[in-house]
Amino acid sequence: GENVEQHPSTLSVQEGDSAVIKCTYSDSASNYFPWYKQELGKRPQLIIDIRSNVGEKKDQRIAVTLNKTAKHFSLHITETQPEDSAVYFCAASYNFGNEKLTFGTGTRLTIIP
Amino acid sequence: SAVISQKPSRDICQRGTSLTIQCQVDSQVTMMFWYRQQPGQSLTLIATANQGSEATYESGFVIDKFPISRPNLTFSTLTVSNMSPEDSSIYLCSVLPYSAPGQGADEQFFGPGTRLTVL
């Protein structure tokens, strides 16, 4: 089955700086890669996703890049703000038939004011 | 989008007992899933709840321990049976709304979770 690795496990950045979280996946058939943000005591919420036919996707301060050959994808947050502090999870799934998500281990991001 | 509710939101149970968690969605969805999130950990898929048939369990999870029902397209239950302290976790349901024919499924929405503590 699919295996997703995520690094780093914790990340602290100064407010206004950029943060990058990286994930690798094992199953070349995976073609859908969402990123979830989970604040303390809350449910995971999708912040951005990318499909395997796209190399990069951006939504305001958040961007995701995908390298299918290397089987890795990354989350980039620019101009970080205190409200970006949370745990971020990457995930992978094979869409069009098996939509179950395999999650990475999570990254606790702390924004230092 | 989908609005998902779970009951109970939290519970404290004695070992050896069972707890049934309910997941209700405000609209019909194609797929429903149950995840477990142990304290400080990631999300692990327990099973896919299939409407009208037996759930599909992931490796390490069995029906006798986690029986699941899905009687219709908006409701599912997960039972945690014969509980032990190791079952203390947050249990989350998630749903996949219907998408257009030929389109890949989009965002998977999560319920608020049920925080279970087993003494």
Side-chain angles (χ1 to χ4, degrees), chain A residues 11-40:
Chain A
L11 179 61
S12 295
V13 301
Q14 288 290 140
E15 181 178 354
D17 288 349
S18 296
V20 180
I21 302 170
K22 299 181 179 182
C23 289
T24 60
Y25 60 100
S26 62
D27 190 348
S28 57
S30 290
N31 59 6
Y32 175 65
F33 307 94
W35 285 88
Y36 283 84
K37 175 184 180 181
Q38 188 175 32
E39 298 177 11
L40 189 63

Side-chain angles (χ1 to χ4, degrees), chain B residues 26-90:
Chain B
D26 68 339
S27 58
Q28 293 185 347
V29 295
T30 177
M31 301 186 80
M32 298 182 77
F33 306 91
W34 286 98
Y35 289 85
R36 181 174 73 183
Q37 187 173 29
Q38 296 180 305
Q41 303 295 312
S42 184
L43 291 88
T44 301
L45 181 65
I46 297 172
T48 302
N50 300 309
Q51 195 257 328
S53 64
E54 191 173 289
T56 305
Y57 289 85
E58 296 301 305
S59 176
F61 297 96
V62 295
I63 187 171
D64 289 347
K65 176 67 176 177
F66 298 101
I68 287 171
S69 77
R70 189 182 172 191
N72 56 50
L73 295 176
T74 63
F75 184 78
S76 178
T77 67
L78 167 74
T79 299
V80 186
S81 303
N82 190 24
M83 289 184 285
S84 67
E86 293 71 37
D87 295 320
S88 296
S89 281
I90 297 173

Side-chain angles (χ1 to χ4, degrees), chain A residues 32 36 38 41-46 49 51 89 95-106 108, chain B residues 4 31 33 35 37 41-43 45 48 58 92 96 102-112 115:
Chain A
Y32 175 65
Y36 283 84
Q38 188 175 32
K42 302 284 184 65
R43 72 188 82 188
Q45 298 216 311
L46 182 79
D49 58 9
R51 299 187 183 279
F89 293 99
N95 226 224
F96 296 104
N98 185 9
E99 286 77 10
K100 64 179 184 179
L101 293 171
T102 301
F103 282 85
T105 49
R108 182 174 299 278
Chain B
I4 308 165
M31 301 186 80
F33 306 91
Y35 289 85
Q37 187 173 29
Q41 303 295 312
S42 184
L43 291 88
L45 181 65
T48 302
E58 296 301 305
L92 300 110
L96 203 61
Q103 296 289 321
D106 288 319
E107 179 177 355
Q108 198 171 123
F109 294 87
F110 283 85
R115 183 180 295 273

Side-chain angles (χ1 to χ4, degrees), chain A residues 15 37 39 61 79-86 88 109 111:
Chain A
E15 181 178 354
K37 175 184 180 181
E39 298 177 11
R61 297 186 297 110
E79 301 173 16
T80 54
Q81 301 169 3
E83 52 265 36
D84 294 329
S85 294
Y88 291 80
L109 175 63
I111 307 303

